[in-house]
Amino acid sequence: MSPRRNRPKAAGSSGRGAEDDRSGRYGGWQSTESWQGEEWSVRHVAGASADGKTYRCPGCDQVIPSGLPHVVAWPEHAGVDDRRHWHKACWNARDRRTTRVRRSGNSPWF
């Protein structure tokens, strides 16, 4: 058995490819996924980088509390205004969820 290495591995030797391992300022990694015939950019956001912010998930129409890890997804051809923040479970179940959620008249839009 060899002793444990205490040196960092060389760049590019991680398990994920360079496309999927783009760390950004949000502390997560970004990938591209296909959904409904479009390519979507998907960024996994760490909870610490979402501290102090709340978002409304389009999958379940519930608030994503401050500091909770979640997913940000947008169509690749779209701009910044089309980004949506999803719970991880809601993003994974997006094909089984309806997008026609009805809110009461006095429910806030986030």
Side-chain angles (χ1 to χ4, degrees), residues 2-64:
S2 302
R4 197 172 107 200
R5 291 179 58 173
N6 289 327
R7 291 179 298 239
K9 292 182 180 180
S13 65
S14 67
R16 283 185 251 163
E19 271 309 301
D20 292 339
D21 195 17
R22 292 179 286 201
S23 294
R25 67 182 244 212
Y26 300 106
W29 53 275
Q30 185 171 328
S31 62
T32 303
E33 295 183 24
S34 184
W35 181 45
Q36 293 182 341
E38 288 187 88
E39 293 296 315
W40 288 69
S41 294
V42 180
R43 180 178 294 148
H44 295 263
V45 179
S49 62
D51 197 26
K53 304 170 196 162
T54 59
Y55 304 100
R56 185 167 295 273
C57 175
C60 65
D61 201 39
Q62 300 296 314
V63 172
I64 300 172

Side-chain angles (χ1 to χ4, degrees), residues 35 38-41 58 71-86 91:
W35 181 45
E38 288 187 88
E39 293 296 315
W40 288 69
S41 294
V71 173
V72 180
W74 65 96
E76 285 218 338
H77 68 277
V80 175
D81 293 336
D82 292 323
R83 290 185 298 186
R84 296 293 175 258
H85 296 254
W86 295 69
W91 176 253

